[in-house]
Amino acid sequence: AFLKHLQGVDQPPPPAKTQITGPLTLAVGLIRGGTETRLAFKSAVAITRAWVREVIRLFDRFAPGVRPLIMLDEPSLISWAD
């Protein structure tokens, strides 16, 4: 819906913030789901990179000229608090 809205704007707005799950949080979820630790982190990095590329591709397609500011959301960072 947001990208469709941007198509109707006359001038591109400043960078648009979006966020995706970061690789640490994704890896923690994969590990909790039973994935081996090394594979979980390797997969999480690859998946996060693919998501970032896809977000950029979607902005290029639906909102040319708008630069996405992509934030990686890492709520699992608290797992390493101690």
Side-chain angles (χ1 to χ4, degrees), residues 48-82:
T48 302
R49 284 180 179 161
W51 283 352
V52 168
R53 285 191 300 268
E54 183 63 15
V55 166
I56 292 168
R57 189 190 71 75
L58 287 169
F59 268 86
D60 288 345
R61 179 175 174 198
F62 292 105
V66 177
R67 295 175 319 208
L69 173 61
I70 303 170
M71 306 301 290
L72 300 179
D73 188 22
E74 292 288 10
S76 288
L77 280 176
I78 62 168
S79 299
W80 290 277
D82 293 330

Side-chain angles (χ1 to χ4, degrees), residues 18-66:
T18 188
Q19 67 187 54
I20 61 173
T21 301
L24 295 175
T25 298
L26 184 54
V28 168
L30 290 170
I31 292 165
R32 288 180 181 163
T35 304
E36 184 270 324
T37 302
R38 182 168 286 165
L39 178 60
F41 279 98
K42 184 176 180 177
S43 298
V45 168
I47 291 166
T48 302
R49 284 180 179 161
W51 283 352
V52 168
R53 285 191 300 268
E54 183 63 15
V55 166
I56 292 168
R57 189 190 71 75
L58 287 169
F59 268 86
D60 288 345
R61 179 175 174 198
F62 292 105
V66 177

